[in-house]
Amino acid sequence: MSDPKTPIYLDYGATTPMDERVWQVMQPFFSQDFGNPSSVHAFGQRAEAGLEAARRDMAAQLNAEPGELIFTSGGTESDNLALRGAAFAARAARGANHILVSNVEHAAVARNAVQLADSHGFELELIPADQQGQVQPEEVAARLREDTAVVSVVMANNEVGTINPITEIAALCRARYIPLHTDAVQAGAYLPINVQSLGVDLLSLGAHKFYGPKGIGALYVSEGIKLLPTQAGGSHEEGLRAGTPNVPYIVGMAQAFSLVQGETEARATTLRSLRDQVINGVLKSVPDAQLTGHPEQRLPNHASFLFQGVDGNALLMLLDGAGFACSSGSACKTGDPEPSEILTAMGFTREWALGSLRVTVGIHTQPDEIEAFLTALPALVEKSRALETA
Ligand SMILES: *Cc1c(COP(=O)(O)O)cnc(C)c1O
């Protein structure tokens, strides 16, 4: 049983607690194996051995070659390197100037694409997702052009949990020799990630979403895909990401990824039952509520809703006061009174879109915690509705 005084964490989509086994493998690289992996001497060699073992492990999990994995500071940097790197390289190589990005991307992709258009003269075209937040392959096919530099479609959406048909979309792009990037940051902990069976060219991951440390991530870059580095300097990471690599965090990320990827199938069943407990409970007990995202093709740990006549941020604060940590979509949006661009892109009116709630469960979530949440929620929704009309 959970302690009633300890807040209950239902926000695994924002970040996850680090696995104790991850900390254990990181520790030596802060102290005795502290060397710079670029140094020639024994200290450097020990650090390099740790770095390259991590790269081999993580590449093997992804079904990639070690040389195809670039370590970055997180999901955001991976998205930046993929999108900007591919756009500028394609412009230099073949004069390509068109970028194709879905309208349900995380800000790390969406804002990048807007900046590439506004400040660098690329032509940005958005691929509209459907009402369930899913990007249909036909919508991508209809927009692919000879001069398309890069396509970016999120693997699983962070706000509504919808999983996209990436394999189909990747096949369309490969047939036209256009690089496809997928942001798999939200998917990494809960879906098997195999770059060969997905057929993608670029794939972003961030460790803190899969029970690893914050501030570290990876970008898979398929052999033969050209990127312009977003950060100039030394020749680290195949010349794509200058700067001394963060060895302890990379070692931790590789360990965390191997732990989650080894257990995705086993965990999915438990998570799905907790998630469905949330979905069924909320829809049964809260009037004027709807599920957002795809009813089946969604992350096994992800439930998201809209409540009519509710200010999502006010509801979050009431929930926090009652001891429940949830989110109203992207964690970056807290305090922003504008409705989520993803929800409005999916066709929801401003009034509905303002009342969003995201409940993401994880490996430590217990059924009794969900019960407590479901017991508390209806009155808190009514209270926030009363605030709106007051
Ligand atoms: C969290 C998240 C990011 C950003 O990753 P950071 O490692 O926090 O920079 C990007 N895309 C998606 C889909 C995410 O969920």
Side-chain angles (χ1 to χ4, degrees), residues 136-255:
Q136 299 306 329
E138 311 83 81
E139 299 289 346
V140 180
R143 290 171 177 80
L144 284 174
R145 298 194 331 214
E146 198 93 314
D147 67 336
T148 305
V150 60
V151 181
S152 193
V153 178
V154 67
M155 186 163 173
N157 182 275
N158 49 300
E159 285 191 37
V160 298
T162 300
I163 299 169
N164 280 314
I166 295 299
T167 309
E168 287 82 350
I169 294 170
L172 290 168
C173 295
R174 279 252 162 115
R176 310 275 299 258
Y177 303 100
I178 294 164
L180 173 70
H181 166 249
T182 192
D183 173 344
V185 179
Q186 197 63 223
Y190 308 107
L191 301 179
I193 313 282
N194 180 329
V195 294
Q196 297 306 329
S197 50
L198 288 167
V200 295
D201 301 303
L202 298 157
L203 181 141
S204 299
L205 290 167
H208 76 97
K209 304 280 174 77
F210 54 76
Y211 307 90
K214 290 171 182 63
I216 196 78
L219 178 68
Y220 160 75
V221 183
S222 177
E223 174 77 53
I225 295 294
K226 294 273 172 287
L227 298 183
L228 187 82
T230 50
Q231 184 164 299
S235 59
H236 314 87
E237 301 295 309
E238 309 278 324
L240 289 179
R241 204 279 182 174
T244 302
N246 188 347
V247 180
Y249 280 59
I250 290 167
V251 167
M253 170 168 64
Q255 169 76 352

Side-chain angles (χ1 to χ4, degrees), residues 328-351:
S328 68
S330 173
C332 332
K333 291 241 169 60
T334 316
D336 186 344
E338 283 304 302
S340 140
E341 287 168 29
I342 288 178
L343 293 169
T344 47
M346 285 165 60
F348 294 107
T349 61
R350 181 189 155 86
E351 193 225 350

Side-chain angles (χ1 to χ4, degrees), residues 10 159-160 277-293 298 303-319 324 326-329 339-340 343 348-360 373-389:
L10 298 171
E159 285 191 37
V160 298
Q277 191 188 347
V278 174
I279 293 177
N280 298 330
V282 168
L283 296 180
K284 207 172 82 190
S285 65
V286 182
D288 297 314
Q290 57 181 312
L291 182 73
T292 54
R298 64 185 303 131
S304 55
F305 308 93
L306 294 181
F307 302 120
Q308 194 177 27
V310 164
D311 170 354
N313 283 320
L315 177 60
L316 283 191
M317 283 188 260
L318 290 172
L319 279 164
F324 301 97
C326 302
S327 147
S328 68
S340 140
L343 293 169
F348 294 107
T349 61
R350 181 189 155 86
E351 193 225 350
W352 271 94
L354 281 172
S356 69
L357 178 71
R358 179 182 76 174
V359 180
T360 41
F373 168 77
L374 290 171
T375 305
L377 183 70
L380 298 175
V381 171
E382 288 321 312
K383 199 165 169 183
S384 56
R385 279 179 174 147
L387 290 174
E388 283 297 282
T389 50

Side-chain angles (χ1 to χ4, degrees), residues 48-115:
E48 203 208 358
L51 174 66
E52 294 311 319
R55 197 188 309 277
R56 281 193 303 276
D57 277 5
M58 203 164 162
Q61 289 293 335
L62 290 163
N63 200 9
E65 293 299 324
E68 295 178 310
L69 211 54
I70 304 302
F71 295 128
T72 67
S73 66
T76 298
E77 190 192 327
S78 295
D79 287 343
N80 273 267
L81 177 57
L83 211 68
R84 305 175 79 81
F88 286 116
R91 175 185 271 175
R94 53 188 172 93
N97 216 39
H98 175 237
I99 52 182
L100 206 45
V101 171
S102 96
N103 68 353
V104 288
E105 297 297 307
H106 187 276
V109 169
R111 297 271 155 85
N112 239 306
V114 167
Q115 204 186 61

